[in-house]
Amino acid sequence: MDKRDSDAPDVSTEELTLAVEQMVRYVRRGTTAGGLSTAASSLLSRLGREGPQRLTGLARAEKVSQPGMTQLVTRLERSGLVRRVADGSDGRAVLVEATDAGLEVFRQRRAERAQALQHLIDELPEPERDAVRVALPALARAIHRRMTRS
């Protein structure tokens, strides 16, 4: 065992889970652009990242009922953050897409989250900052691999 391994703290999966939950709550609390609910923010983020999608696909991806997704899209539509457009590949279908205003809110919220996370990272000693910069992208890659397998 090399020295780095012997100096690493013995942290349980439960402690790591608590740390992730605390970090996510902290970062979310600092995200205020658009005054969105968690569900609305999640939907707008998905549309911002992935582009226009069918309502049924959004409901499935966000793990909500189709009527619940319809209500959420209607609220965001009234706020001018999303719009429904014809699906070019199927004239009977409708896609939901973020408007320019919705994309701007998405970008503002992402910048606010990045700033909140950066403030946390800045408080760490350099070795821990380096560890976070390696660990978080590694976890994101693992999530991506797992999601592409399902």
Side-chain angles (χ1 to χ4, degrees):
M1 184 181 289
D2 73 26
K3 180 159 176 35
R4 285 180 313 190
D5 291 338
S6 64
D7 288 344
D10 186 20
V11 178
S12 71
T13 305
E14 186 173 325
E15 290 170 306
L16 289 173
T17 301
L18 178 60
V20 168
E21 289 170 349
Q22 289 173 330
M23 181 184 63
V24 167
R25 273 194 305 275
Y26 174 82
V27 169
R28 278 188 180 157
R29 270 196 313 262
T31 307
T32 59
L36 301 177
S37 68
T38 301
S41 176
S42 181
L43 174 60
L44 194 57
S45 291
R46 180 174 301 279
L47 293 172
R49 286 188 318 270
E50 300 172 10
Q53 297 181 47
R54 290 184 176 187
L55 198 70
T56 53
L58 289 169
R60 188 174 37 257
E62 294 292 318
K63 301 195 183 333
V64 298
S65 68
Q66 190 160 341
M69 182 55 66
T70 298
Q71 290 176 355
L72 179 58
V73 167
T74 298
R75 283 195 312 270
L76 291 174
E77 206 171 24
R78 285 184 188 138
S79 298
L81 300 177
V82 303
R83 68 177 151 249
R84 297 172 210 231
V85 295
D87 183 342
S89 64
D90 180 353
R92 299 166 299 169
V94 172
L95 297 175
V96 178
E97 70 178 7
T99 62
D100 289 343
L103 291 172
E104 181 57 28
V105 169
F106 163 67
R107 285 188 289 272
Q108 288 173 350
R109 291 179 73 82
R110 180 171 272 180
E112 288 172 343
R113 288 190 303 267
Q115 184 177 25
L117 182 58
Q118 188 61 55
H119 288 315
L120 289 175
I121 292 170
D122 289 346
E123 292 181 19
L124 300 173
E126 191 62 35
E128 290 178 350
R129 275 185 270 188
D130 292 343
V132 167
R133 288 187 180 110
V134 170
L136 291 181
L139 287 171
R141 288 189 300 274
I143 291 167
H144 179 73
R145 285 192 300 271
R146 181 169 289 256
M147 306 262 315
T148 55
R149 288 194 305 254
S150 354

